Amino acid sequence: MSAAPAVARAAGPARQAFSLRPSRTPPKIRKPLKRDDQGLPIPRCKIFVRDTHPSRMMDHYFSTLQDDLMYMTYVHESGPRKPPREIRLKFDPEDPYSKNRVNTPVGGSQLGRKPAPVTSWDNVVQLERVQIHTMIKEATSNRVNLLGPIMMMRALSGETEGGGGRHTSEGVQVVRSIKTVGGWLRPRMPIGAKVDLKGPKMYDFISTLTEFVLPRLREYTGFVMPASTQQNFTPSSVSGVVSIGLPPEAMGLFPQIEVNLDAYPGSYGMHIHFITNAEGQGAQNKARALLSGLQVPFVRR
Amino acid sequence: MSALARCSSCLPRSASTTRHGSILSRSLATEASAGPSTTQLAPAPGKIKSHETIGISIVVNRSPFLTRIPSRFERAFHAYQQRIERALHNPFPYEFYFKQGSLLETKFRAEERKRERMTLGAPFGTIEPQTSAESKAQSARESAVEALDREEEEIIPRRGKADEINDVRSLDRKGERNLYLLLLKKSNSEQVWRFPEGSLQKGELLHESAERNLLKECGVVMDTWVVSRNPIGLYKSSSAGGTSLSRLFFYKAHIMAGQVRPDGSNVLDYAWLTKQEMEERLDKEYWHGVQDMLSDF
């Protein structure tokens, strides 16, 4: 019954404007909410923040780039692939001679020889996340030197720990050293900061990068690709990750930081890793093609 | 060259488009000059026998240049998520971004109050009670900010002149949709709408033929980029009606600048159309062969 008036209203003369704001007061909470240790109310369901606005770059990817990338990276294969060759076992695990010896694969490491998956509509190269990372040498002497880069990354990404109600959102993380480097580092010393971006925020970051930062860099023509003669069987070329580096001068070109550049104690360079779903041989080239479509320029010397 | 006709070798190509000065976007309205590449692509004189049965057709796409208008549901969803985000977000560090009591801070605070009230409702975003001296200074600052605000930017409308008169030849029409090029051609004393097409010459690769035929049909005052070296589709006509070509390989291309120049003898007219507008102009069999290569939106 309650649905009937709504239908009648919708069928009436078309209303030109409608408000997205609630026009009435929210209903009263009859049963009091539980409170946590700090006395704050706990909502009855988990609250997440999802997309708050349409993303221009993401639309561009799905409306134009994805089709083009599929056509560009398509490899025609007639029939199913042959199963991998059975290589005779060199070591018999039951043999007491070879039992606990190192069992290296026949033909050396196969890490860089991983074949690309069969091309299909659902494995077109796509960005999974973008990681911004910086190492601060001065942080080894005084860890307060990390505060500037952490603030920079907060301003760049807008990410906070558990932000938007997501426990997977880790915000800006401090990178700690792993092992001892003679006279300089000890394990667990804070030496840098990193932040992961996903979804619309990731695409917004890329559009800021390509529209405000890269065009204003001095004496810059594009990111240099390795020579075409370089063999592409390295682990990095099959991983589908493209990494670029920005000099400290680039930090002041981000509009989020430009407004109050004086508030930062210094300027810091950064590495940006674009992590895609591409894998197997030629994955890095696919990732570069994707970034090229997102207006990140590459050059070959 | 034929050994290179694999897709992995196409990849540096998109990067090489950025090597020239025009890294960033270029308006569609700019005039494309006939560069040296056009002279290279002209068919070489001599004894080239055209292949009768295999043809190349090019789907020239004008990709969207405006963002899509979100549906009513999407707008309501985004508004709801914005409310949640505003309710959950960390407090804004005013002292980090603004000098205390500066004009910009006042402006930002006023805007922030307005947004707060807009999203969360009346008790939020209202001004807290102040002492009389403070409120006087506050109102003085706000009036100064209002003076700043009067210089407002003019927003270019989404619908242009081409939309108003429905000019199908214009590239500025329907900015949020994918448009495709159709040519009006003479064939057996009747006029048919087709994608640009041509025949394959002996010893010519398919993607080379695509570039050559595109220039031949559409003129040289158009800056285009053929996306891949692989065809995106194949159309086999059952009858010889309309064309002598029985197998058509389709290639996708993008228009970057310029416009079509029909030669008037073979190509009479052209139109940039959405997929839905195309259906009524194409004959039924051809439409069923090509419709899946086109984007619905």
Side-chain angles (χ1 to χ4, degrees), chain A residues 63-107:
Chain A
S63 68
T64 308
L65 274 186
Q66 200 175 33
D67 293 7
D68 287 358
L69 286 165
M70 185 174 72
Y71 299 141
M72 285 165 70
T73 59
Y74 179 74
V75 177
H76 186 73
E77 289 176 58
S78 47
R81 281 185 183 175
K82 274 189 219 165
R85 192 162 60 99
E86 286 286 332
I87 297 171
R88 73 192 151 75
L89 211 58
K90 270 206 165 175
F91 290 82
D92 180 10
E94 295 310 310
D95 186 352
Y97 174 75
S98 57
K99 201 169 184 182
N100 292 316
R101 286 168 189 262
V102 180
N103 189 357
T104 50
V106 180

Side-chain angles (χ1 to χ4, degrees), chain B residues 215-268:
Chain B
L215 288 171
K216 202 179 90 187
E217 295 263 285
C218 305
V220 292
V221 202
M222 196 165 88
D223 195 356
T224 52
W225 174 59
V226 178
V227 170
S228 69
R229 298 187 180 187
N230 307 312
I232 64 165
L234 171 63
Y235 167 67
K236 294 179 190 171
S237 66
S238 59
S239 64
T243 175
S244 61
L245 306 165
S246 58
R247 277 155 195 256
L248 274 176
F249 284 99
F250 280 82
Y251 274 80
K252 188 181 178 186
H254 284 292
I255 180 164
M256 304 295 173
Q259 184 56 283
V260 184
R261 282 270 173 87
D263 57 1
S265 58
N266 183 31
V267 180
L268 302 172

Side-chain angles (χ1 to χ4, degrees), chain A residues 18 20-22 47-48 50-52 54 56 68 71-72 74-75 151 155 160 215 260 285 292 295 298, chain B residues 6-7 11 14 18 23-24 67 72 76 78 81-84 90 96-97 118 227-228 230 232 252 254:
Chain A
F18 72 99
L20 294 170
R21 193 154 46 114
I47 295 174
F48 297 104
R50 302 199 184 270
D51 297 2
T52 51
R56 193 170 60 91
D68 287 358
Y71 299 141
M72 285 165 70
Y74 179 74
V75 177
M151 205 57 209
T160 50
N260 64 337
N285 280 342
S292 180
Q295 307 275 9
F298 288 98
Chain B
R6 303 301 299 271
C7 36
L11 298 181
S14 70
T18 62
I23 289 173
L24 296 164
T67 45
R72 190 171 161 168
H78 288 150
Q81 297 301 330
Q82 280 165 18
R83 291 178 63 208
I84 295 180
N90 289 341
F96 182 67
Y97 280 98
M118 181 78 180
V227 170
S228 69
N230 307 312
I232 64 165
K252 188 181 178 186
H254 284 292

Side-chain angles (χ1 to χ4, degrees), chain A residues 19-203:
Chain A
S19 172
L20 294 170
R21 193 154 46 114
S23 52
R24 60 198 162 89
T25 51
K28 271 185 188 168
I29 299 170
R30 291 181 191 161
K31 197 176 157 193
L33 293 172
K34 279 183 190 166
R35 305 257 163 183
D36 64 4
D37 315 336
Q38 290 152 357
L40 294 169
I42 305 169
R44 296 238 168 77
C45 59
K46 286 205 167 180
I47 295 174
F48 297 104
V49 180
R50 302 199 184 270
D51 297 2
T52 51
H53 56 277
S55 173
R56 193 170 60 91
M57 224 37 162
M58 201 154 91
D59 274 2
H60 171 59
Y61 174 78
F62 285 108
S63 68
T64 308
L65 274 186
Q66 200 175 33
D67 293 7
D68 287 358
L69 286 165
M70 185 174 72
Y71 299 141
M72 285 165 70
T73 59
Y74 179 74
V75 177
H76 186 73
E77 289 176 58
S78 47
R81 281 185 183 175
K82 274 189 219 165
R85 192 162 60 99
E86 286 286 332
I87 297 171
R88 73 192 151 75
L89 211 58
K90 270 206 165 175
F91 290 82
D92 180 10
E94 295 310 310
D95 186 352
Y97 174 75
S98 57
K99 201 169 184 182
N100 292 316
R101 286 168 189 262
V102 180
N103 189 357
T104 50
V106 180
S109 167
Q110 300 294 311
L111 196 57
R113 308 209 171 248
K114 190 178 166 191
V118 179
T119 323
S120 74
W121 59 269
D122 61 349
N123 65 7
V124 181
V125 57
Q126 187 171 358
L127 266 178
E128 280 178 352
R129 65 194 162 100
V130 166
Q131 188 173 70
I132 312 170
H133 165 252
T134 184
M135 195 199 85
I136 305 297
K137 271 186 188 168
E138 294 78 47
T140 52
S141 57
N142 188 359
R143 62 181 64 185
V144 172
N145 290 330
L146 269 181
L147 290 178
I150 288 173
M151 205 57 209
M152 171 189 79
M153 286 190 183
R154 282 197 162 208
L156 285 183
S157 67
E159 293 280 351
T160 50
E161 192 182 345
R166 282 197 202 86
H167 70 278
T168 52
S169 170
E170 286 163 317
V172 181
Q173 300 168 68
V174 172
V175 181
R176 289 170 182 275
S177 62
I178 294 171
K179 57 184 180 181
T180 311
V181 177
W184 183 46
L185 285 182
R186 279 169 286 109
R188 305 286 301 155
M189 268 170 79
I191 47 165
K194 64 172 183 180
V195 65
D196 278 6
L197 290 166
K198 285 179 186 174
K201 271 186 184 164
M202 169 178 78
Y203 284 100

Side-chain angles (χ1 to χ4, degrees), chain A residues 264-291:
Chain A
Y264 295 89
S267 57
Y268 319 100
M270 65 190 95
H271 294 290
I272 303 172
H273 308 288
F274 299 94
I275 297 154
T276 67
N277 66 350
E279 55 178 17
Q281 282 178 14
Q284 201 171 29
N285 280 342
K286 286 179 193 170
R288 285 200 192 105
L290 166 63
L291 286 181

